[in-house]
Amino acid sequence: MTSFIEKIVGDFGDKRRWREHKARVKALPASYRTTAEALERYLMYFGSIVKGDVLMSMLEELADLFEQAAADGTPIRAVVGEDPVEFAEMFLANYSDGQWIKKERDRLVAAVARAEEEEGNRS
């Protein structure tokens, strides 16, 4: 019964992880929290990650990074650099398997490979 309900409302484990992540970010000092929330928003919109487990792993790693930076007193710019967009996109690159575009890229590569194979069979 649980798997049926999870198919309708989503994975309970991911929902728990989401709530834990939000609590971790909320507990950060203000400047780290503001930056982490802004990065999270950007990653959610730009990243187009459709796999819940991949998304949660990414967000947990982001929270880890900012918790450690806050504990060490590392300035925000030392974490994200001069270009926060570049930082976010480089960070996101580690999670490309969860992006919807990955599936489409794989489909494109497979289609061209099939076409090449068909072309070779005609020769």
Side-chain angles (χ1 to χ4, degrees), residues 56-113:
M56 288 315 308
S57 293
M58 179 184 69
L59 294 176
E60 288 165 345
E61 186 174 324
L62 187 66
D64 291 343
L65 176 67
F66 279 94
E67 285 172 341
Q68 189 61 52
D72 294 343
T74 306
I76 295 296
R77 284 291 180 183
V79 176
V80 300
E82 290 303 312
D83 185 354
V85 172
E86 180 181 5
F87 170 83
E89 292 176 9
M90 287 177 60
F91 185 83
L92 179 64
N94 295 313
Y95 300 94
S96 63
D97 284 348
Q99 293 178 303
W100 67 268
I101 196 68
K102 167 93 167 66
K103 184 168 103 176
E104 295 307 318
R105 287 177 181 146
D106 292 345
R107 279 185 182 172
L108 174 60
V109 170
V112 171

Side-chain angles (χ1 to χ4, degrees), residues 11 13-15 17-18 49-60 98:
D11 182 85
D14 287 343
K15 290 177 191 263
R17 289 171 69 189
W18 172 257
I49 294 180
V50 294
K51 293 183 178 178
D53 60 327
V54 174
L55 175 65
M56 288 315 308
S57 293
M58 179 184 69
L59 294 176
E60 288 165 345

